[in-house]
Amino acid sequence: METSPPRHPSAQRISRSGDFGIKGFLETSFLDWPGRLAAVVFIGGCNFRCPFCHNAELVLEPQLLPSIPLGTILGRLSALRGWVDGVVVSGGEPTLSPRLPELLGRIRAAGFDVKLDTNGSCPDVLAKLAARRLVQAFAMDLKAPLEPALYEALAGVPVRLELIRASIDLIRLSGLPHLFRTTYVPGLLDHAAICRLRGAAPAGSPHVLQAFNPSRVLDPALLSVAAPSVEEMLVLGGAAA
């Protein structure tokens, strides 16, 4: 039985146009794959509308952004071989792209490991990628405790929590390096919610809290919300642990 939601319209455009929907490329990052120097590929289109999203242009109107040819990216990766030791595929939500397996296969054929960033809404896609060994690591966003109203508020749309739970279990059981991460947004999540959320992350799996950054957000109402202090993040981190 198909468990993922219908493909996003932008993903359908990708399929028809023959490109891979790559809307951004970062040649080197120390932050996106812990312990590795990685390149980052950004796929346009998303089925969530998280109010705190910092890649709003990838989410709202990816069709207005020029696509980067895969050949261009593979050429740069070849030039960076020996420095870059992995490629992070992020978004948007990359699992919405019908050409994602082909994209990951081309990156793997070029000799690079792949880490996939996901919101967990398409567990069937994650299962297929893991089974074909197209992914060597996962990072999944846990938006909130697995409570319908609260998760919807952080995701910006209704969410089928059974799909989120299925993705959590799949990633946990995959045997691959992985982490779960949550963006703490003051006013949308509180300390009690963070504690409840920690129970949704599997025991023994890394769960990272990251601070909300108000400088780039999808919902303009959050521009006036102050970023949490370092002290508050330390307190929250201790509570989550």
Side-chain angles (χ1 to χ4, degrees):
M1 182 177 70
E2 183 70 23
T3 57
S4 65
R7 288 288 181 259
H8 194 270
S10 62
Q12 296 169 7
R13 281 192 292 271
I14 289 169
S15 180
R16 287 198 297 266
S17 66
D19 70 39
F20 286 89
I22 300 170
K23 302 299 182 177
F25 178 55
L26 182 62
E27 291 192 350
T28 56
S29 169
F30 287 103
L31 301 177
D32 290 271
W33 194 335
R36 294 203 183 199
L37 177 62
V40 187
V41 170
F42 297 93
I43 307 296
C46 189
N47 53 347
F48 284 8
R49 293 294 183 269
C50 306
F52 55 88
C53 179
H54 63 276
N55 283 336
E57 66 279 5
L58 291 175
V59 171
L60 297 177
E61 295 181 312
Q63 71 278 7
L64 299 183
L65 300 174
S67 292
I68 303 173
L70 179 58
T72 299
I73 289 173
L74 293 178
R76 288 304 302 148
L77 290 174
S78 178
L80 293 166
R81 191 180 306 277
W83 292 93
V84 167
D85 57 359
V87 178
V88 175
V89 178
S90 189
E93 175 50 40
T95 60
L96 298 176
S97 170
R99 299 194 70 186
L100 181 63
E102 183 183 355
L103 170 63
L104 301 189
R106 295 279 297 275
I107 295 172
R108 293 288 295 131
F112 294 92
D113 288 347
V114 171
K115 170 179 166 282
L116 184 71
D117 290 350
T118 181
N119 62 23
S121 61
C122 299
D124 62 316
V125 175
L126 302 182
K128 292 171 184 176
L129 298 177
R132 293 176 58 182
R133 300 182 180 179
L134 293 175
V135 175
Q136 286 65 57
F138 286 109
M140 177 177 161
D141 291 323
L142 284 176
K143 307 296 183 181
L146 300 182
E147 303 161 9
L150 192 51
Y151 216 96
E152 177 176 332
L154 271 294
V157 295
V159 178
R160 292 175 58 188
L161 290 181
E162 70 272 19
L163 300 183
I164 303 300
R165 292 188 180 96
S167 291
I168 292 171
D169 289 341
L170 186 148
I171 290 171
R172 173 177 63 88
L173 297 171
S174 69
L176 297 174
H178 62 272
L179 64 84
F180 298 93
R181 60 193 180 196
T182 299
T183 300
Y184 170 56
V185 186
L188 296 183
L189 290 174
D190 57 22
H191 291 215
I194 293 294
C195 290
R196 298 197 307 277
L197 190 154
R198 186 62 188 96
S205 292
H207 178 218
V208 176
L209 286 177
Q210 53 193 23
F212 158 72
N213 183 347
S215 63
R216 296 181 66 206
V217 290
L218 189 148
D219 184 355
L222 292 179
L223 290 171
S224 60
V225 176
S229 67
V230 173
E231 291 77 15
E232 185 175 12
M233 293 302 297
L234 289 173
V235 169
L236 284 169

